[in-house]
Amino acid sequence: MNAAQSIAGRRRLSQAELDMIVSAHEKFVTGKQGGKRASLRFMNLSGLDLSFRNLADADFSASILDGCRMVRTRLERANLFGADLRQADLRQAVLVRADLRGACLRGANLSLADLTQADFREGQVAVPHPRKGFDTLRHEARNGEADEVNFSGATLDGSQLAGVSAFKADFSDCSLRGAKLSGANLKEANLSGAILEDADVKGANLEGANLTGAVMAGVDTSTARTSGAAMQGCLASSTEQAVSRAEEIYQRCLANQAWCRTGGKEGQPARLDGEDLRPLGDRLKGLRLTAMSAAGACMVGIDLSGTQLQGVDLRNADLRTANLRGADLRGAKLAGANLTKADLRQAFLSPLPLGPQRKTLVDLRAARLRYVQMQAADLSEAVLDGADLRGADFTGARLDRISLRECDLSQVQGLDLAPA
């Protein structure tokens, strides 16, 4: 074997060589002169750094990327067929529609990564001869391997995970809407708080898995192996009663809007405490729902973008993955609410003025704000004491006089508390 070859005939690249190839690829992706698509097939790139680079549509098939740093790397539609990504750091990487068939991800960190429609299924992997290298190739079928991978907070909507081995993998607070998990080995995996809505788990091994608090609407576990699985607090599909009540609840919300528009002369604030509002989908989007009460309501995945929600009572409501982008939540009561993976970008969570020297602050005490998107939101004077902020992103948010007592800020992103 010559010096340029290692690990069964794969060429070893230096960081400098890799940087040159990536720079040319970035020019190619953006249509600049001198650009060239990165073809990094059958390479040994172990331990190198690709963080923050744009490698969309690049080809890494059958390459060794173990221990690579790929934080926030853009890998949309990248070909990682049969690649070795063991122990790679892919936190917040974008792998939308990436080809990961037959790839080995054992022990990799994909926390907060976007793996929408990624393909992890079985692949025919070309294996070079140990001595003769690529002169003698044999092909072997290899299942995708994701044992002990950290997918916490990641998005895997519509991903192809059929037959994958994800033993002891961490899918906590993941979004796996419509994911194909048939025949997957999820033994002892952590799926607590995961959104598994409409996921296919036929014949999957869920023995000893932790599904506590998972959203299981539209999931049929009848052919899955579930012995020893923890399934306390799982959220099932909306009941027939909740679906049939949707129209009545919508009319109450329209009455709330009339109350707002007429200064209280018509209609009244809606009282929806404990109701299942999921059947409403996006029907409340943009409405005027000032002073509505929906304490303890189930609002998982609901669209409230641009909605006027000043002074609402949403204490202990389940708002996981809800769209509250640009919503006006001034003075809202959100203590104990679950806003995991909710979108609150550009939302208003500042005080609600009630008259001379009187105002109501936003109350988010003990709220669950894991992986919440708070970019460019206004959180002036908001009270977040005791809130769970793991993975929350406050980049560009306004945080004047915010209260964060008893909060663990070690895993919070974009938290700039310096006075403006």
Side-chain angles (χ1 to χ4, degrees):
M1 190 187 294
N2 64 41
Q5 289 181 320
S6 65
I7 312 187
R10 284 170 176 79
R11 184 176 159 225
R12 172 71 185 167
L13 284 192
S14 67
Q15 184 70 50
E17 286 175 301
L18 180 61
D19 289 343
M20 283 177 65
I21 293 167
V22 174
S23 295
H25 182 82
E26 287 176 330
K27 284 180 184 171
F28 167 78
V29 170
T30 53
K32 290 181 183 158
Q33 211 170 353
K36 186 184 178 188
R37 189 196 294 267
S39 180
L40 292 156
R41 303 173 72 233
F42 290 102
M43 297 285 187
N44 176 12
L45 309 170
S46 57
L48 299 182
D49 196 341
L50 289 158
S51 294
F52 306 102
R53 306 303 296 264
N54 186 349
L55 283 154
D57 297 297
D59 188 355
F60 292 95
S61 50
S63 282
I64 308 285
L65 293 143
D66 67 309
C68 270
R69 248 181 83 78
M70 302 167 87
V71 177
R72 293 202 188 190
T73 305
R74 291 189 59 179
L75 292 155
E76 297 102 318
R77 301 169 304 280
N79 185 356
L80 291 149
F81 188 101
D84 184 346
L85 289 150
R86 275 177 286 197
Q87 304 294 329
D89 187 351
L90 286 145
R91 284 170 296 157
Q92 296 183 69
V94 181
L95 291 133
V96 175
R97 292 174 62 195
D99 187 348
L100 289 150
R101 284 175 297 162
C104 179
L105 289 152
R106 195 185 310 142
N109 188 348
L110 285 139
S111 177
L112 270 175
D114 187 350
L115 294 139
T116 303
Q117 293 183 1
D119 194 346
F120 294 83
R121 289 172 301 175
E122 181 185 286
Q124 289 282 334
V125 181
V127 182
H129 191 276
R131 290 189 308 281
K132 297 175 185 173
F134 293 106
D135 295 336
T136 310
L137 284 176
R138 64 185 173 85
H139 290 81
E140 62 178 45
R142 187 192 293 168
N143 276 330
E145 192 182 321
D147 294 343
E148 298 184 9
V149 169
N150 179 5
F151 286 110
S152 60
T155 301
L156 289 137
D157 296 344
S159 55
Q160 299 277 354
L161 291 146
V164 165
S165 180
F167 172 68
K168 283 193 173 176
D170 184 355
F171 290 97
S172 58
D173 298 315
C174 257
S175 185
L176 285 146
R177 279 197 177 95
K180 304 288 185 240
L181 293 152
S182 52
N185 178 19
L186 297 159
K187 190 175 182 181
E188 293 179 41
N190 181 6
L191 290 142
S192 60
I195 311 286
L196 285 154
E197 204 173 314
D198 298 321
D200 178 1
V201 298
K202 287 188 194 77
N205 183 356
L206 289 160
E207 290 173 357
N210 180 5
L211 289 145
T212 309
V215 176
M216 304 286 282
V219 180
D220 178 4
T221 59
S222 61
T223 62
R225 288 149 63 187
T226 56
S227 65
M231 302 183 80
Q232 300 92 326
C234 281
L235 187 60
S237 302
S238 299
T239 62
E240 281 182 28
Q241 185 187 8
V243 173
S244 65
R245 281 168 55 80
E247 189 57 40
E248 179 206 329
I249 287 171
Y250 180 58
Q251 292 304 320
R252 282 197 242 165
C253 292
L254 291 180
N256 197 142
Q257 177 159 270
W259 180 79
C260 293
R261 282 192 174 146
T262 61
K265 291 183 180 136
E266 292 174 25
Q268 61 186 10
R271 295 285 169 263
L272 307 171
D273 298 350
E275 296 280 5
D276 183 354
L277 304 183
R278 288 176 293 168
L280 290 165
D282 62 357
R283 294 176 78 188
L284 304 185
K285 179 180 176 179
L287 291 188
R288 294 177 68 176
L289 297 172
T290 304
M292 174 182 78
S293 183
C298 181
M299 304 167 81
V300 174
I302 199 167
D303 189 347
L304 292 163
S305 55
T307 304
Q308 293 196 32
L309 296 160
Q310 304 95 328
V312 294
D313 187 351
L314 294 168
R315 287 175 294 179
N316 301 310
D318 191 345
L319 286 147
R320 283 177 286 173
T321 69
N323 183 359
L324 289 149
R325 190 168 185 170
D328 189 343
L329 285 148
R330 287 176 296 162
K333 296 173 185 168
L334 287 153
N338 190 347
L339 286 145
T340 298
K341 284 185 80 72
D343 187 349
L344 283 149
R345 287 174 289 178
Q346 290 111 34
F348 298 91
L349 294 137
S350 47
L352 179 67
L354 297 173
Q357 280 88 52
R358 286 184 62 227
K359 60 187 177 185
T360 304
L361 306 183
V362 168
D363 185 0
L364 281 156
R365 283 177 294 183
R368 197 174 172 97
L369 296 164
R370 290 186 180 184
Y371 311 110
V372 73
Q373 297 178 69
M374 285 275 196
Q375 296 96 317
D378 186 351
L379 285 139
S380 303
E381 301 183 60
V383 181
L384 281 82
D385 301 348
D388 182 349
L389 297 170
R390 189 178 75 188
D393 192 342
F394 289 93
T395 304
R398 188 169 176 180
L399 304 167
D400 308 343
R401 299 192 296 284
I402 190 171
S403 181
L404 292 161
R405 292 187 187 93
E406 295 176 42
C407 289
D408 179 359
L409 305 179
S410 62
Q411 295 180 62
V412 178
Q413 300 174 62
L415 198 64
D416 183 6
L417 296 171

